[in-house]
Amino acid sequence: MKAEEIIQCPAGAMFRHPEKGLVIGVGPFEECADWPEGRTAFYVNDFFLSAAKPWKIPSEVVVLSESCLRKEPLPVQWEAPSPAAFVQVFEEIARELKSGRLVKTVPAVAEKGVIGEGHSPKEIVLAAASAPDYLYPYAFWEGDRGICGATPEILFRQRGRRLETMALAGTARPEDIEVFRDDAKEIHEHEIVVRALLSRLSPHGNLVRAPRGIMELGSLVHFLTPLALDADEDLSPGFWLNLLHPTPALGCQPCTPETLGLLKQWRERLRCPASFGAPFGLGMDGEVIMLVAIRGVEWRGNRLSLTAGGGIVEASSVTHEWREFGLKRAAIRRVLGLA
Ligand SMILES: C=C(O[C@@H]1C=C(C(=O)O)C=C[C@H]1O)C(=O)O
């Protein structure tokens, strides 16, 4: 199979494994509720984990070592998102933060677009597959719907009792890196995520936290803290997923049915699709890598949603956040070759 042929499949999945190469699943898929250990399968769900059978076993698996470049940018007619809707949601969030009911939440704004005549959204899959090495490209499509992106964030990587995860939160432009390093508000935002991971994982084994570092992504930089757990027991990927998702990098702190309900409402008002920030995974050869599905698009027919969000804490400013969301959307357009 040639890279270009991937997108001819009516249903398919793509995951660029950091060591194995580009893993392509050709549909139709058999679906199941639990990780089908021993088979290669993709995990596809929405942010609120509403799929009953999120594991998708492809009829055929192809691993490609070549990268598949698509050189021409895909023409898209974009419709700018509404600043007024964002300002209103931000004010409501600010009230919750001030009252102390909420410490952090992560709204996300979608920009809508229509793909130019004669093009298919599946062309985005080829561009994503050739994203820079520090990103994890992913995609899943069935019929006229699909998702595709290239994320820097993993929810966890698990083999047996060994689990690796990360806190990735706090954002700046590369030209501001020296100030960012000591920015108390960004560090605070980041450490909320680190603390949540520490408290959720430490009851389950020996947990080691690496020092906070910086992940450089070309047009954006983030704080990154890697964590590794040697678990006391053999627990399933489903267990780790329910424990970790959503971390406060994409969800909220505290994370309760009430705060998640508020987040759901805010996301919907900002036209954010349910797939944004969901876990997206690959289970292969006894190992599971679960990504955080951000830095991507969702499509239905020729209509695209391109979504980006960011953490809001009490010290956040509406102008600064609006600009950060815009920078993230621009980074997505660049990586996915969207004009
Ligand atoms: C929400 C997004 O990114 C997440 C939020 C970040 C932040 O608040 O600084 C940084 C990285 C991601 O964990 C996104 O890219 O849309």
Side-chain angles (χ1 to χ4, degrees):
M1 182 191 237
K2 282 235 197 65
E4 289 71 21
E5 290 165 22
I6 300 169
I7 60 171
Q8 307 300 329
C9 311
M14 179 274 281
F15 188 113
R16 195 177 71 196
H17 189 285
E19 290 94 37
K20 297 180 201 289
L22 205 59
V23 182
I24 308 297
V26 180
F29 295 90
E30 182 190 325
E31 300 186 330
C32 53
D34 300 313
W35 178 43
E37 194 174 351
R39 321 248 334 242
T40 295
F42 296 83
Y43 180 96
V44 187
N45 210 334
D46 61 35
F47 184 79
F48 298 95
L49 306 183
S50 55
K53 295 181 171 177
W55 285 99
K56 318 267 184 196
I57 305 169
S59 355
E60 188 191 339
V61 178
V62 183
V63 182
L64 300 170
S65 53
E66 62 182 309
S67 69
C68 32
L69 283 167
R70 198 200 64 230
K71 292 175 193 77
E72 295 301 312
L74 189 66
V76 181
Q77 183 77 46
W78 294 107
E79 178 198 325
S82 156
F86 181 67
V87 169
Q88 209 171 50
V89 165
F90 187 93
E91 280 170 5
E92 288 175 33
I93 292 173
R95 272 203 297 279
E96 292 299 311
L97 294 166
K98 198 161 193 303
S99 76
R101 287 189 292 270
L102 203 56
V103 172
K104 180 182 183 197
T105 192
V106 186
V109 172
E111 182 168 356
K112 305 286 173 176
V114 178
I115 296 170
E117 198 103 359
H119 290 273
S120 155
K122 288 193 268 176
E123 292 173 43
I124 303 167
V125 180
L126 297 181
S130 43
D133 285 349
Y134 46 75
L135 298 174
Y136 292 87
Y138 63 89
F140 181 81
W141 65 95
E142 223 166 18
D144 71 342
R145 301 178 59 162
I147 56 166
C148 177
T151 179
E153 186 166 2
I154 67 162
L155 185 64
F156 63 84
R157 182 170 182 169
Q158 181 210 352
R159 177 182 289 282
R161 295 187 183 189
R162 175 78 179 176
L163 186 117
E164 289 162 2
T165 181
M166 61 165 71
L168 189 76
T171 303
R173 299 182 308 173
E175 48 274 43
D176 298 329
I177 194 167
E178 292 312 324
V179 177
F180 176 64
R181 223 180 271 288
D182 299 309
D183 183 327
K185 178 237 155 204
E186 297 293 330
I187 293 173
H188 169 65
E189 236 182 277
H190 180 79
E191 292 298 321
I192 290 170
V193 182
V194 174
R195 277 199 301 277
L197 291 173
L198 289 172
S199 81
R200 292 180 200 179
L201 288 171
S202 57
H204 297 284
N206 182 34
L207 181 63
V208 177
R209 175 207 166 148
R212 181 177 65 242
I214 292 182
M215 182 189 263
E216 298 189 44
L217 298 176
S219 59
L220 293 170
V221 298
H222 298 301
F223 282 130
L224 165 71
T225 299
L227 296 106
L229 176 79
D230 284 307
D232 295 333
E233 278 181 85
D234 279 312
L235 291 160
S236 68
F239 171 85
W240 298 116
L241 188 135
N242 287 313
L243 182 71
L244 293 174
H245 175 80
T247 75
L250 267 295
C252 33
Q253 185 63 27
C255 190
T256 65
E258 289 73 35
T259 58
L260 276 177
L262 283 173
L263 178 57
K264 186 162 190 281
Q265 248 196 58
W266 289 325
R267 285 172 48 128
E268 284 166 0
R269 279 162 54 194
L270 301 172
R271 308 176 79 190
C272 166
S275 61
F276 175 77
F280 185 98
L282 173 72
M284 192 179 188
D285 301 333
E287 183 189 52
V288 171
I289 304 181
M290 201 59 76
L291 309 175
V292 179
I294 54 173
R295 311 290 154 92
V297 293
E298 176 183 298
W299 70 83
R300 281 183 185 213
N302 65 349
R303 299 187 170 272
L304 281 185
S305 290
L306 183 153
T307 310
I312 313 275
V313 294
E314 213 186 339
S316 297
S317 104
V318 69
T319 311
H320 183 98
E321 296 306 322
W322 180 250
R323 189 181 312 133
E324 180 181 314
F325 290 22
L327 283 174
K328 286 175 175 163
R329 291 198 304 273
I332 299 169
R333 275 197 291 273
R334 206 165 307 122
V335 171
L336 300 185
L338 301 169

